[in-house]
Amino acid sequence: MINSAYTPPLDLIRRPRRNRQTAAIRALVRENRVHADDLIQPLFVKDGVGAPEPVGSMPDVQRLNVRSLLAEVAHLSALGIRAIALFPQIDSALKDPRGKYALAKKNWFFGLIHQVKTEFPDMLIVADVALDPYTDHGHDGVLDATTGDVANDETVHVLCQYSTHLAEAGADIVAPSDMMDGRIGAIRDELDHEGFTQTSILAYAAKFASAYYGPFRDAVGSTTGSKSPLDKRTYQLDPANLREALLETRLDEDQGADILMIKPAGLYLDVISAVRASTTLPVSAYQVSGEYAQIHAAARAGWLDLAKARDESLLAIKRAGADIILTYFARDVAQSLKG
Ligand code: PBG
């Protein structure tokens, strides 16, 4: 017979559970926290005065017109979010194979940036630099006439001009997301040459050819309408490669990037951690549309708790070594941090 009335204590010097027994002690020993200061809210914007349009594959995300964008920025700012990343949805009538509208003086996106900056001078504006919102084929650059592949140097040339237009409109940070070779150095030169020495470059340094960008492509309308997803493997990184990611981040650092980014985030925690160990620059990570959609979908099915899964996903990204996180959850997280 086992006497269950008395169990003599195990002879243990270390009882890690002592540090977990109450909420207060757990808070005291907590190693990582997500703070509103760390977060960048990506926002989709469109021209005109039409009502905000929901993005089907991204619950609670909408394409905003200028007026609703300004209201959203006021709201975010009140919640303590200090940076937004803007992505334009360009009307398909304005798209062409070369993405010429990107450099058009009358591109409404420049006016919109200017308006946000004027009304909210303290809100940091991150502007994506790539041609995919503007090209009718949805690739991030212009295509080589013979190979059909994205032409590197020609694309860089266009992106340099686009970057100065964005800086001139009021973007504080330009974020090349195109993965062309040599674009960080070329953009830095062009910005400096045009007098924008204080415009920062957030380099999408290690951007993988991921299946998780699908909902984003719906949101900006860069899908071509064909069933098969766009293949960007000649410029975005192979998901199998960690060393190559370190090469890319080193090149971007050497060419003058102010902040290095890894993208996607949750599936690439090892890359975040390796990049963190290899640089003294701030490291950011982009929790992409597919990561967001996945958590929402499971929560909708009643399979995951939305807020808990959201918070855990972001904490993991911080723990891996990201200082900064771009996430569609930024607003909700800031809201819940406020209590
Ligand atoms: C475009 C760009 C993409 C994303 C950010 N900038 C899509 C792509 O490369 O096809 C993805 C963001 C997301 O999925 O949330 N260069």
PDB file of all heavy atoms in Angstrom, residues 59-93:
ATOM      1  N   PRO A  59      -8.518  39.068 -42.367  1.00  0.00           N
ATOM      2  CA  PRO A  59      -9.560  39.635 -41.503  1.00  0.00           C
ATOM      3  C   PRO A  59      -9.092  40.932 -40.833  1.00  0.00           C
ATOM      4  O   PRO A  59      -7.937  41.050 -40.440  1.00  0.00           O
ATOM      5  CB  PRO A  59      -9.773  38.532 -40.460  1.00  0.00           C
ATOM      6  CG  PRO A  59      -9.366  37.277 -41.145  1.00  0.00           C
ATOM      7  CD  PRO A  59      -8.249  37.655 -42.066  1.00  0.00           C
ATOM      8  N   ASP A  60     -10.013  41.888 -40.721  1.00  0.00           N
ATOM      9  CA  ASP A  60      -9.758  43.198 -40.085  1.00  0.00           C
ATOM     10  C   ASP A  60      -8.779  44.080 -40.848  1.00  0.00           C
ATOM     11  O   ASP A  60      -8.325  45.096 -40.327  1.00  0.00           O
ATOM     12  CB  ASP A  60      -9.243  43.057 -38.631  1.00  0.00           C
ATOM     13  CG  ASP A  60     -10.197  42.271 -37.756  1.00  0.00           C
ATOM     14  OD1 ASP A  60     -11.399  42.217 -38.087  1.00  0.00           O
ATOM     15  OD2 ASP A  60      -9.728  41.702 -36.748  1.00  0.00           O
ATOM     16  N   VAL A  61      -8.394  43.683 -42.063  1.00  0.00           N
ATOM     17  CA  VAL A  61      -7.502  44.528 -42.856  1.00  0.00           C
ATOM     18  C   VAL A  61      -8.293  45.083 -44.032  1.00  0.00           C
ATOM     19  O   VAL A  61      -9.070  44.363 -44.662  1.00  0.00           O
ATOM     20  CB  VAL A  61      -6.276  43.736 -43.365  1.00  0.00           C
ATOM     21  CG1 VAL A  61      -5.453  44.555 -44.349  1.00  0.00           C
ATOM     22  CG2 VAL A  61      -5.410  43.290 -42.187  1.00  0.00           C
ATOM     23  N   GLN A  62      -8.107  46.385 -44.279  1.00  0.00           N
ATOM     24  CA  GLN A  62      -8.839  47.027 -45.368  1.00  0.00           C
ATOM     25  C   GLN A  62      -7.901  47.869 -46.227  1.00  0.00           C
ATOM     26  O   GLN A  62      -6.872  48.319 -45.753  1.00  0.00           O
ATOM     27  CB  GLN A  62      -9.896  47.972 -44.782  1.00  0.00           C
ATOM     28  CG  GLN A  62     -10.938  47.271 -43.940  1.00  0.00           C
ATOM     29  CD  GLN A  62     -11.944  48.257 -43.390  1.00  0.00           C
ATOM     30  OE1 GLN A  62     -11.563  49.305 -42.870  1.00  0.00           O
ATOM     31  NE2 GLN A  62     -13.221  47.933 -43.511  1.00  0.00           N
ATOM     32  N   ARG A  63      -8.312  48.062 -47.478  1.00  0.00           N
ATOM     33  CA  ARG A  63      -7.636  49.068 -48.303  1.00  0.00           C
ATOM     34  C   ARG A  63      -8.290  50.393 -47.995  1.00  0.00           C
ATOM     35  O   ARG A  63      -9.512  50.534 -48.128  1.00  0.00           O
ATOM     36  CB  ARG A  63      -7.816  48.764 -49.784  1.00  0.00           C
ATOM     37  CG  ARG A  63      -7.052  47.567 -50.229  1.00  0.00           C
ATOM     38  CD  ARG A  63      -7.245  47.356 -51.739  1.00  0.00           C
ATOM     39  NE  ARG A  63      -7.159  45.937 -52.010  1.00  0.00           N
ATOM     40  CZ  ARG A  63      -8.203  45.137 -52.211  1.00  0.00           C
ATOM     41  NH1 ARG A  63      -9.428  45.609 -52.237  1.00  0.00           N
ATOM     42  NH2 ARG A  63      -8.013  43.855 -52.428  1.00  0.00           N
ATOM     43  N   LEU A  64      -7.483  51.366 -47.597  1.00  0.00           N
ATOM     44  CA  LEU A  64      -8.024  52.623 -47.104  1.00  0.00           C
ATOM     45  C   LEU A  64      -7.873  53.750 -48.114  1.00  0.00           C
ATOM     46  O   LEU A  64      -6.847  53.848 -48.796  1.00  0.00           O
ATOM     47  CB  LEU A  64      -7.290  53.025 -45.819  1.00  0.00           C
ATOM     48  CG  LEU A  64      -7.262  51.981 -44.693  1.00  0.00           C
ATOM     49  CD1 LEU A  64      -6.284  52.401 -43.600  1.00  0.00           C
ATOM     50  CD2 LEU A  64      -8.663  51.785 -44.123  1.00  0.00           C
ATOM     51  N   ASN A  65      -8.893  54.607 -48.187  1.00  0.00           N
ATOM     52  CA  ASN A  65      -8.721  55.850 -48.942  1.00  0.00           C
ATOM     53  C   ASN A  65      -8.019  56.857 -48.027  1.00  0.00           C
ATOM     54  O   ASN A  65      -7.818  56.577 -46.840  1.00  0.00           O
ATOM     55  CB  ASN A  65     -10.071  56.367 -49.449  1.00  0.00           C
ATOM     56  CG  ASN A  65     -11.017  56.710 -48.304  1.00  0.00           C
ATOM     57  OD1 ASN A  65     -10.581  57.090 -47.209  1.00  0.00           O
ATOM     58  ND2 ASN A  65     -12.308  56.573 -48.535  1.00  0.00           N
ATOM     59  N   VAL A  66      -7.629  58.009 -48.564  1.00  0.00           N
ATOM     60  CA  VAL A  66      -6.842  58.960 -47.757  1.00  0.00           C
ATOM     61  C   VAL A  66      -7.545  59.326 -46.462  1.00  0.00           C
ATOM     62  O   VAL A  66      -6.912  59.373 -45.401  1.00  0.00           O
ATOM     63  CB  VAL A  66      -6.580  60.288 -48.507  1.00  0.00           C
ATOM     64  CG1 VAL A  66      -5.513  61.100 -47.792  1.00  0.00           C
ATOM     65  CG2 VAL A  66      -6.183  60.034 -49.921  1.00  0.00           C
ATOM     66  N   ARG A  67      -8.849  59.593 -46.570  1.00  0.00           N
ATOM     67  CA  ARG A  67      -9.548  60.047 -45.364  1.00  0.00           C
ATOM     68  C   ARG A  67      -9.548  58.995 -44.260  1.00  0.00           C
ATOM     69  O   ARG A  67      -9.257  59.281 -43.102  1.00  0.00           O
ATOM     70  CB  ARG A  67     -10.996  60.429 -45.721  1.00  0.00           C
ATOM     71  CG  ARG A  67     -11.271  61.893 -45.400  1.00  0.00           C
ATOM     72  CD  ARG A  67     -12.718  62.240 -45.616  1.00  0.00           C
ATOM     73  NE  ARG A  67     -13.543  61.898 -44.477  1.00  0.00           N
ATOM     74  CZ  ARG A  67     -14.859  61.699 -44.551  1.00  0.00           C
ATOM     75  NH1 ARG A  67     -15.485  61.776 -45.713  1.00  0.00           N
ATOM     76  NH2 ARG A  67     -15.554  61.420 -43.474  1.00  0.00           N
ATOM     77  N   SER A  68      -9.854  57.757 -44.655  1.00  0.00           N
ATOM     78  CA  SER A  68      -9.870  56.709 -43.629  1.00  0.00           C
ATOM     79  C   SER A  68      -8.450  56.402 -43.153  1.00  0.00           C
ATOM     80  O   SER A  68      -8.247  56.029 -41.994  1.00  0.00           O
ATOM     81  CB  SER A  68     -10.600  55.458 -44.122  1.00  0.00           C
ATOM     82  OG  SER A  68     -10.268  55.146 -45.437  1.00  0.00           O
ATOM     83  N   LEU A  69      -7.473  56.599 -44.032  1.00  0.00           N
ATOM     84  CA  LEU A  69      -6.074  56.416 -43.607  1.00  0.00           C
ATOM     85  C   LEU A  69      -5.701  57.427 -42.523  1.00  0.00           C
ATOM     86  O   LEU A  69      -5.112  57.070 -41.499  1.00  0.00           O
ATOM     87  CB  LEU A  69      -5.130  56.563 -44.807  1.00  0.00           C
ATOM     88  CG  LEU A  69      -3.644  56.577 -44.461  1.00  0.00           C
ATOM     89  CD1 LEU A  69      -3.186  55.216 -43.920  1.00  0.00           C
ATOM     90  CD2 LEU A  69      -2.792  56.966 -45.663  1.00  0.00           C
ATOM     91  N   LEU A  70      -6.066  58.669 -42.737  1.00  0.00           N
ATOM     92  CA  LEU A  70      -5.726  59.700 -41.744  1.00  0.00           C
ATOM     93  C   LEU A  70      -6.389  59.394 -40.401  1.00  0.00           C
ATOM     94  O   LEU A  70      -5.768  59.549 -39.342  1.00  0.00           O
ATOM     95  CB  LEU A  70      -6.120  61.091 -42.255  1.00  0.00           C
ATOM     96  CG  LEU A  70      -5.290  61.578 -43.456  1.00  0.00           C
ATOM     97  CD1 LEU A  70      -5.893  62.840 -44.058  1.00  0.00           C
ATOM     98  CD2 LEU A  70      -3.831  61.806 -43.088  1.00  0.00           C
ATOM     99  N   ALA A  71      -7.625  58.916 -40.450  1.00  0.00           N
ATOM    100  CA  ALA A  71      -8.306  58.549 -39.202  1.00  0.00           C
ATOM    101  C   ALA A  71      -7.589  57.377 -38.529  1.00  0.00           C
ATOM    102  O   ALA A  71      -7.414  57.348 -37.308  1.00  0.00           O
ATOM    103  CB  ALA A  71      -9.762  58.197 -39.487  1.00  0.00           C
ATOM    104  N   GLU A  72      -7.157  56.427 -39.345  1.00  0.00           N
ATOM    105  CA  GLU A  72      -6.454  55.249 -38.807  1.00  0.00           C
ATOM    106  C   GLU A  72      -5.116  55.659 -38.182  1.00  0.00           C
ATOM    107  O   GLU A  72      -4.735  55.158 -37.115  1.00  0.00           O
ATOM    108  CB  GLU A  72      -6.225  54.237 -39.946  1.00  0.00           C
ATOM    109  CG  GLU A  72      -5.442  52.989 -39.583  1.00  0.00           C
ATOM    110  CD  GLU A  72      -6.189  52.038 -38.648  1.00  0.00           C
ATOM    111  OE1 GLU A  72      -7.359  52.318 -38.312  1.00  0.00           O
ATOM    112  OE2 GLU A  72      -5.597  51.032 -38.232  1.00  0.00           O
ATOM    113  N   VAL A  73      -4.416  56.577 -38.834  1.00  0.00           N
ATOM    114  CA  VAL A  73      -3.127  57.020 -38.298  1.00  0.00           C
ATOM    115  C   VAL A  73      -3.329  57.726 -36.954  1.00  0.00           C
ATOM    116  O   VAL A  73      -2.563  57.518 -36.000  1.00  0.00           O
ATOM    117  CB  VAL A  73      -2.387  57.928 -39.311  1.00  0.00           C
ATOM    118  CG1 VAL A  73      -1.120  58.511 -38.706  1.00  0.00           C
ATOM    119  CG2 VAL A  73      -2.034  57.139 -40.563  1.00  0.00           C
ATOM    120  N   ALA A  74      -4.396  58.519 -36.847  1.00  0.00           N
ATOM    121  CA  ALA A  74      -4.691  59.186 -35.574  1.00  0.00           C
ATOM    122  C   ALA A  74      -4.937  58.142 -34.485  1.00  0.00           C
ATOM    123  O   ALA A  74      -4.434  58.248 -33.364  1.00  0.00           O
ATOM    124  CB  ALA A  74      -5.908  60.092 -35.732  1.00  0.00           C
ATOM    125  N   HIS A  75      -5.681  57.113 -34.849  1.00  0.00           N
ATOM    126  CA  HIS A  75      -6.009  56.047 -33.903  1.00  0.00           C
ATOM    127  C   HIS A  75      -4.745  55.302 -33.463  1.00  0.00           C
ATOM    128  O   HIS A  75      -4.504  55.079 -32.272  1.00  0.00           O
ATOM    129  CB  HIS A  75      -7.011  55.108 -34.573  1.00  0.00           C
ATOM    130  CG  HIS A  75      -7.483  53.995 -33.712  1.00  0.00           C
ATOM    131  ND1 HIS A  75      -8.136  54.199 -32.520  1.00  0.00           N
ATOM    132  CD2 HIS A  75      -7.385  52.646 -33.859  1.00  0.00           C
ATOM    133  CE1 HIS A  75      -8.419  53.032 -31.968  1.00  0.00           C
ATOM    134  NE2 HIS A  75      -7.977  52.074 -32.756  1.00  0.00           N
ATOM    135  N   LEU A  76      -3.917  54.939 -34.435  1.00  0.00           N
ATOM    136  CA  LEU A  76      -2.678  54.211 -34.132  1.00  0.00           C
ATOM    137  C   LEU A  76      -1.777  55.041 -33.230  1.00  0.00           C
ATOM    138  O   LEU A  76      -1.184  54.537 -32.269  1.00  0.00           O
ATOM    139  CB  LEU A  76      -1.925  53.881 -35.434  1.00  0.00           C
ATOM    140  CG  LEU A  76      -2.560  52.820 -36.326  1.00  0.00           C
ATOM    141  CD1 LEU A  76      -1.893  52.812 -37.696  1.00  0.00           C
ATOM    142  CD2 LEU A  76      -2.442  51.441 -35.677  1.00  0.00           C
ATOM    143  N   SER A  77      -1.695  56.317 -33.548  1.00  0.00           N
ATOM    144  CA  SER A  77      -0.833  57.203 -32.795  1.00  0.00           C
ATOM    145  C   SER A  77      -1.299  57.299 -31.339  1.00  0.00           C
ATOM    146  O   SER A  77      -0.490  57.250 -30.404  1.00  0.00           O
ATOM    147  CB  SER A  77      -0.822  58.542 -33.525  1.00  0.00           C
ATOM    148  OG  SER A  77      -0.305  59.529 -32.724  1.00  0.00           O
ATOM    149  N   ALA A  78      -2.611  57.353 -31.146  1.00  0.00           N
ATOM    150  CA  ALA A  78      -3.160  57.393 -29.779  1.00  0.00           C
ATOM    151  C   ALA A  78      -2.847  56.098 -29.027  1.00  0.00           C
ATOM    152  O   ALA A  78      -2.718  56.093 -27.803  1.00  0.00           O
ATOM    153  CB  ALA A  78      -4.665  57.630 -29.830  1.00  0.00           C
ATOM    154  N   LEU A  79      -2.704  55.000 -29.771  1.00  0.00           N
ATOM    155  CA  LEU A  79      -2.387  53.713 -29.132  1.00  0.00           C
ATOM    156  C   LEU A  79      -0.891  53.540 -28.880  1.00  0.00           C
ATOM    157  O   LEU A  79      -0.460  52.537 -28.311  1.00  0.00           O
ATOM    158  CB  LEU A  79      -2.866  52.558 -30.024  1.00  0.00           C
ATOM    159  CG  LEU A  79      -4.375  52.363 -30.151  1.00  0.00           C
ATOM    160  CD1 LEU A  79      -4.677  51.287 -31.187  1.00  0.00           C
ATOM    161  CD2 LEU A  79      -4.975  51.982 -28.803  1.00  0.00           C
ATOM    162  N   GLY A  80      -0.089  54.496 -29.360  1.00  0.00           N
ATOM    163  CA  GLY A  80       1.351  54.414 -29.130  1.00  0.00           C
ATOM    164  C   GLY A  80       2.145  53.802 -30.266  1.00  0.00           C
ATOM    165  O   GLY A  80       3.339  53.559 -30.139  1.00  0.00           O
ATOM    166  N   ILE A  81       1.491  53.537 -31.415  1.00  0.00           N
ATOM    167  CA  ILE A  81       2.221  53.054 -32.595  1.00  0.00           C
ATOM    168  C   ILE A  81       2.865  54.268 -33.270  1.00  0.00           C
ATOM    169  O   ILE A  81       2.195  55.268 -33.529  1.00  0.00           O
ATOM    170  CB  ILE A  81       1.277  52.343 -33.590  1.00  0.00           C
ATOM    171  CG1 ILE A  81       0.668  51.082 -32.955  1.00  0.00           C
ATOM    172  CG2 ILE A  81       2.003  51.994 -34.892  1.00  0.00           C
ATOM    173  CD1 ILE A  81       1.602  49.919 -32.788  1.00  0.00           C
ATOM    174  N   ARG A  82       4.165  54.163 -33.541  1.00  0.00           N
ATOM    175  CA  ARG A  82       4.892  55.331 -34.040  1.00  0.00           C
ATOM    176  C   ARG A  82       5.414  55.173 -35.454  1.00  0.00           C
ATOM    177  O   ARG A  82       6.114  56.044 -35.966  1.00  0.00           O
ATOM    178  CB  ARG A  82       6.049  55.620 -33.089  1.00  0.00           C
ATOM    179  CG  ARG A  82       5.539  55.714 -31.669  1.00  0.00           C
ATOM    180  CD  ARG A  82       6.640  55.706 -30.659  1.00  0.00           C
ATOM    181  NE  ARG A  82       7.228  57.027 -30.574  1.00  0.00           N
ATOM    182  CZ  ARG A  82       8.041  57.411 -29.588  1.00  0.00           C
ATOM    183  NH1 ARG A  82       8.354  56.565 -28.628  1.00  0.00           N
ATOM    184  NH2 ARG A  82       8.530  58.614 -29.577  1.00  0.00           N
ATOM    185  N   ALA A  83       5.099  54.039 -36.092  1.00  0.00           N
ATOM    186  CA  ALA A  83       5.582  53.821 -37.458  1.00  0.00           C
ATOM    187  C   ALA A  83       4.562  53.030 -38.263  1.00  0.00           C
ATOM    188  O   ALA A  83       3.958  52.081 -37.750  1.00  0.00           O
ATOM    189  CB  ALA A  83       6.912  53.077 -37.427  1.00  0.00           C
ATOM    190  N   ILE A  84       4.377  53.445 -39.517  1.00  0.00           N
ATOM    191  CA  ILE A  84       3.491  52.716 -40.423  1.00  0.00           C
ATOM    192  C   ILE A  84       4.257  52.416 -41.714  1.00  0.00           C
ATOM    193  O   ILE A  84       5.170  53.153 -42.088  1.00  0.00           O
ATOM    194  CB  ILE A  84       2.211  53.529 -40.769  1.00  0.00           C
ATOM    195  CG1 ILE A  84       2.581  54.925 -41.330  1.00  0.00           C
ATOM    196  CG2 ILE A  84       1.320  53.684 -39.536  1.00  0.00           C
ATOM    197  CD1 ILE A  84       1.387  55.728 -41.834  1.00  0.00           C
ATOM    198  N   ALA A  85       3.893  51.323 -42.361  1.00  0.00           N
ATOM    199  CA  ALA A  85       4.464  50.995 -43.671  1.00  0.00           C
ATOM    200  C   ALA A  85       3.314  51.032 -44.669  1.00  0.00           C
ATOM    201  O   ALA A  85       2.298  50.360 -44.471  1.00  0.00           O
ATOM    202  CB  ALA A  85       5.104  49.609 -43.637  1.00  0.00           C
ATOM    203  N   LEU A  86       3.467  51.836 -45.705  1.00  0.00           N
ATOM    204  CA  LEU A  86       2.368  52.027 -46.649  1.00  0.00           C
ATOM    205  C   LEU A  86       2.574  51.244 -47.944  1.00  0.00           C
ATOM    206  O   LEU A  86       3.666  51.238 -48.512  1.00  0.00           O
ATOM    207  CB  LEU A  86       2.221  53.514 -46.984  1.00  0.00           C
ATOM    208  CG  LEU A  86       1.848  54.420 -45.800  1.00  0.00           C
ATOM    209  CD1 LEU A  86       1.819  55.880 -46.248  1.00  0.00           C
ATOM    210  CD2 LEU A  86       0.484  54.016 -45.224  1.00  0.00           C
ATOM    211  N   PHE A  87       1.492  50.606 -48.399  1.00  0.00           N
ATOM    212  CA  PHE A  87       1.509  49.841 -49.646  1.00  0.00           C
ATOM    213  C   PHE A  87       0.339  50.290 -50.511  1.00  0.00           C
ATOM    214  O   PHE A  87      -0.817  50.159 -50.092  1.00  0.00           O
ATOM    215  CB  PHE A  87       1.379  48.345 -49.346  1.00  0.00           C
ATOM    216  CG  PHE A  87       2.522  47.789 -48.541  1.00  0.00           C
ATOM    217  CD1 PHE A  87       2.432  47.712 -47.158  1.00  0.00           C
ATOM    218  CD2 PHE A  87       3.683  47.359 -49.167  1.00  0.00           C
ATOM    219  CE1 PHE A  87       3.497  47.199 -46.403  1.00  0.00           C
ATOM    220  CE2 PHE A  87       4.747  46.853 -48.421  1.00  0.00           C
ATOM    221  CZ  PHE A  87       4.648  46.777 -47.040  1.00  0.00           C
ATOM    222  N   PRO A  88       0.616  50.809 -51.706  1.00  0.00           N
ATOM    223  CA  PRO A  88      -0.473  51.282 -52.554  1.00  0.00           C
ATOM    224  C   PRO A  88      -1.075  50.173 -53.412  1.00  0.00           C
ATOM    225  O   PRO A  88      -0.365  49.288 -53.890  1.00  0.00           O
ATOM    226  CB  PRO A  88       0.234  52.301 -53.462  1.00  0.00           C
ATOM    227  CG  PRO A  88       1.622  51.762 -53.608  1.00  0.00           C
ATOM    228  CD  PRO A  88       1.944  51.040 -52.311  1.00  0.00           C
ATOM    229  N   GLN A  89      -2.392  50.228 -53.579  1.00  0.00           N
ATOM    230  CA  GLN A  89      -3.019  49.390 -54.600  1.00  0.00           C
ATOM    231  C   GLN A  89      -3.254  50.292 -55.803  1.00  0.00           C
ATOM    232  O   GLN A  89      -4.018  51.264 -55.739  1.00  0.00           O
ATOM    233  CB  GLN A  89      -4.348  48.823 -54.120  1.00  0.00           C
ATOM    234  CG  GLN A  89      -4.955  47.894 -55.158  1.00  0.00           C
ATOM    235  CD  GLN A  89      -6.467  47.815 -55.081  1.00  0.00           C
ATOM    236  OE1 GLN A  89      -7.134  48.759 -54.684  1.00  0.00           O
ATOM    237  NE2 GLN A  89      -7.001  46.681 -55.475  1.00  0.00           N
ATOM    238  N   ILE A  90      -2.566  49.986 -56.871  1.00  0.00           N
ATOM    239  CA  ILE A  90      -2.634  50.828 -58.064  1.00  0.00           C
ATOM    240  C   ILE A  90      -3.686  50.250 -59.017  1.00  0.00           C
ATOM    241  O   ILE A  90      -3.725  49.034 -59.253  1.00  0.00           O
ATOM    242  CB  ILE A  90      -1.246  50.888 -58.757  1.00  0.00           C
ATOM    243  CG1 ILE A  90      -0.170  51.423 -57.782  1.00  0.00           C
ATOM    244  CG2 ILE A  90      -1.286  51.710 -60.042  1.00  0.00           C
ATOM    245  CD1 ILE A  90      -0.359  52.846 -57.309  1.00  0.00           C
ATOM    246  N   ASP A  91      -4.512  51.119 -59.542  1.00  0.00           N
ATOM    247  CA  ASP A  91      -5.553  50.719 -60.491  1.00  0.00           C
ATOM    248  C   ASP A  91      -4.923  49.980 -61.676  1.00  0.00           C
ATOM    249  O   ASP A  91      -3.897  50.417 -62.213  1.00  0.00           O
ATOM    250  CB  ASP A  91      -6.249  51.990 -60.978  1.00  0.00           C
ATOM    251  CG  ASP A  91      -7.595  51.671 -61.553  1.00  0.00           C
ATOM    252  OD1 ASP A  91      -7.657  51.374 -62.775  1.00  0.00           O
ATOM    253  OD2 ASP A  91      -8.571  51.685 -60.785  1.00  0.00           O
ATOM    254  N   SER A  92      -5.554  48.879 -62.095  1.00  0.00           N
ATOM    255  CA  SER A  92      -4.916  48.084 -63.162  1.00  0.00           C
ATOM    256  C   SER A  92      -4.772  48.869 -64.469  1.00  0.00           C
ATOM    257  O   SER A  92      -3.866  48.598 -65.262  1.00  0.00           O
ATOM    258  CB  SER A  92      -5.651  46.775 -63.377  1.00  0.00           C
ATOM    259  OG  SER A  92      -7.010  47.032 -63.585  1.00  0.00           O
ATOM    260  N   ALA A  93      -5.618  49.882 -64.670  1.00  0.00           N
ATOM    261  CA  ALA A  93      -5.501  50.708 -65.877  1.00  0.00           C
ATOM    262  C   ALA A  93      -4.193  51.509 -65.885  1.00  0.00           C
ATOM    263  O   ALA A  93      -3.742  51.960 -66.948  1.00  0.00           O
ATOM    264  CB  ALA A  93      -6.692  51.659 -65.968  1.00  0.00           C
TER     265      ALA A  93
END
